[in-house]
Amino acid sequence: MNPKILIIGACGQIGSELTTKLRHIYGDNQVVASDISYNNLDIVNSGLFEILDAQDYASLKICIEKYEINTVYLMAAMLSATGEKYPMKAWDLNMNSLFHVLNLAKEGFIKKVFWPSSIAVFGPTTPKVNTPQYTVMEPSTVYGITKQVGERWCEYYFNKYNVDVRSIRYPGIISHKTLPGGGTTDYAVDIYHKALSDGHYECFLTEETELPMMFMDDAIKATVDIMQAPTESIKIRSAYNLAAISFTPREVAESIKKQLSDFTISYAPDFRQDIADSWPKSIDDNEARKHWNWSHEFDLDAITNEMLTNLEKKTLQNS
């Protein structure tokens, strides 16, 4: 099947870089980007683009029929920290958009769906070290609840209606191309911005808060890999554990100091600390590595080098 792709939430942190990658692989005319506004002109101007509300079933169906879409990447979501401020909005956006896409697939309008889950499905009772694929999931955030429920619905639609839906549990994602998007792990993006602009960062987590993290290039690679994998290789239809590295704010600061020796960090934990404390420290992703040959490329120092180099370039271009 030659994919004709719709990306919903294409202007977001992951969506924007995924759009660029998929256009590179399949061609600009094969990938339709969509979002609720024109807030990322690079994405808007580099190929087909539609204004689309993921909660509007009729508009979504019209767009899919107009472009003869057969593959949907549903990247629109309200993330963890923002979701705690607006719980009902987070529930409505995260769940309604998923139901619309799954129902369109059930009705035969879509052949393949990617929907991202998250380590937020885990909670305080989950084993924190090398969290297994199958384990206790009692999420304590609205975002985590929507992701856990979403996983169950994905698996249900596969088992009941044979919908080819694929999912991975993203850890914290680090990127130099987009600004932090309201997630608890976003400190690991903001710290690089502040290291260059201020020489100091005040972290909203404690120095020893260890969380699973991943460079954006690896996250995009995983997303493409799972969607390109043969159907018979995808043996888990809820969501796959996905991992690269785990680190603490102190370790990021030490990595930054190797390049910026005057950099300093202080700590002022806020409500996001409770969220972080409910999440795993490290993830066991053996099933993803075994079933569809997942592997990551970037360690912490490689991430730091990519972040500082590219953010410095961007600053020079804008000055």
Side-chain angles (χ1 to χ4, degrees):
M1 180 182 73
N2 189 26
K4 190 66 186 286
I5 296 166
L6 173 65
I7 303 172
I8 303 169
C11 291
Q13 186 191 28
I14 300 174
S16 57
E17 299 201 36
L18 179 62
T19 300
T20 302
K21 183 68 173 179
L22 292 175
R23 283 175 172 167
H24 175 73
I25 295 171
Y26 298 110
D28 292 350
N29 291 329
Q30 295 299 112
V31 179
V32 181
S34 72
D35 215 305
I36 55 171
S37 68
Y38 298 106
N39 68 355
N40 187 325
L41 292 179
D42 287 341
I43 296 301
V44 172
N45 295 328
S46 61
L48 300 169
F49 185 86
E50 291 280 337
I51 291 288
L52 190 63
D53 182 349
Q55 298 189 74
D56 185 340
Y57 178 87
S59 296
L60 188 54
K61 186 181 175 193
I62 288 167
C63 183
I64 284 166
E65 291 182 308
K66 174 182 174 182
Y67 291 101
E68 300 179 327
I69 298 297
N70 55 37
T71 304
V72 170
Y73 291 75
L74 175 54
M75 310 307 290
M78 190 176 290
L79 300 182
S80 58
T82 311
E84 291 307 288
K85 295 176 184 174
Y86 308 104
M88 285 314 299
K89 283 184 180 177
W91 175 263
D92 289 343
L93 170 60
N94 296 1
M95 297 315 304
N96 291 341
S97 58
L98 176 59
F99 272 122
H100 292 340
V101 171
L102 290 176
N103 284 326
L104 284 163
K106 170 190 164 188
E107 291 158 22
F109 292 99
I110 306 165
K111 301 301 180 191
K112 191 185 285 189
V113 174
F114 177 81
W115 174 79
S117 190
S118 163
I119 59 167
V121 296
F122 302 122
T125 54
T126 302
K128 291 199 179 300
V129 178
N130 287 328
T131 301
Q133 174 69 43
Y134 301 104
T135 187
V136 177
M137 291 193 289
E138 294 183 323
S140 57
T141 64
V142 177
Y143 178 62
I145 292 166
T146 65
K147 290 301 183 184
Q148 185 192 25
V149 172
E151 286 190 13
R152 303 271 57 79
W153 280 115
C154 286
E155 188 174 65
Y156 181 86
Y157 270 72
F158 172 76
N159 289 332
K160 191 87 172 173
Y161 308 116
N162 203 31
V163 170
D164 187 356
V165 57
R166 305 176 183 204
S167 180
I168 49 185
R169 294 170 182 152
Y170 286 127
I173 307 293
I174 301 171
S175 169
H176 55 81
K177 291 183 182 172
T178 49
L179 293 171
T184 300
T185 55
D186 276 351
Y187 88 85
V189 177
D190 199 28
I191 191 170
Y192 292 106
H193 287 267
K194 294 293 196 303
L196 288 168
S197 64
D198 303 349
H200 177 80
Y201 179 64
E202 182 171 277
C203 186
F204 54 75
L205 301 177
T206 66
E207 65 177 337
E208 296 301 332
T209 303
E210 184 180 4
L211 290 168
M213 295 286 189
M214 178 176 290
F215 191 53
M216 179 66 83
D217 291 24
D218 278 334
I220 299 301
K221 176 180 179 288
T223 308
V224 171
D225 284 355
I226 193 173
M227 288 296 276
Q228 289 184 337
T231 303
E232 60 272 17
S233 297
I234 309 302
K235 303 181 189 304
I236 294 170
R237 294 291 181 158
S238 50
Y240 276 92
N241 273 4
L242 193 74
I245 57 174
S246 291
F247 55 71
T248 66
R250 178 180 54 76
E251 288 170 329
V252 188
E254 287 171 357
S255 182
I256 291 171
K257 284 178 187 177
K258 291 176 186 176
Q259 296 194 41
L260 302 173
S261 57
D262 292 337
F263 174 70
T264 57
I265 186 168
S266 57
Y267 301 91
D270 64 13
F271 73 98
R272 287 166 286 195
Q273 183 66 49
D274 289 337
I275 298 175
D277 287 343
S278 74
W279 289 350
K281 294 181 176 182
S282 55
I283 301 287
D284 180 343
D285 64 353
N286 277 328
E287 279 85 354
R289 294 178 186 268
K290 196 164 51 183
H291 294 175
W292 41 278
N293 298 320
W294 156 245
S295 63
H296 70 283
E297 295 175 5
F298 290 83
D299 63 14
L300 177 52
D301 283 342
I303 291 171
T304 295
N305 187 56
E306 287 286 322
M307 290 296 290
L308 294 178
T309 301
N310 285 284
L311 289 175
E312 273 186 308
K313 272 187 204 166
K314 199 178 291 184
T315 303
L316 288 171
Q317 286 168 358
N318 295 335
S319 61

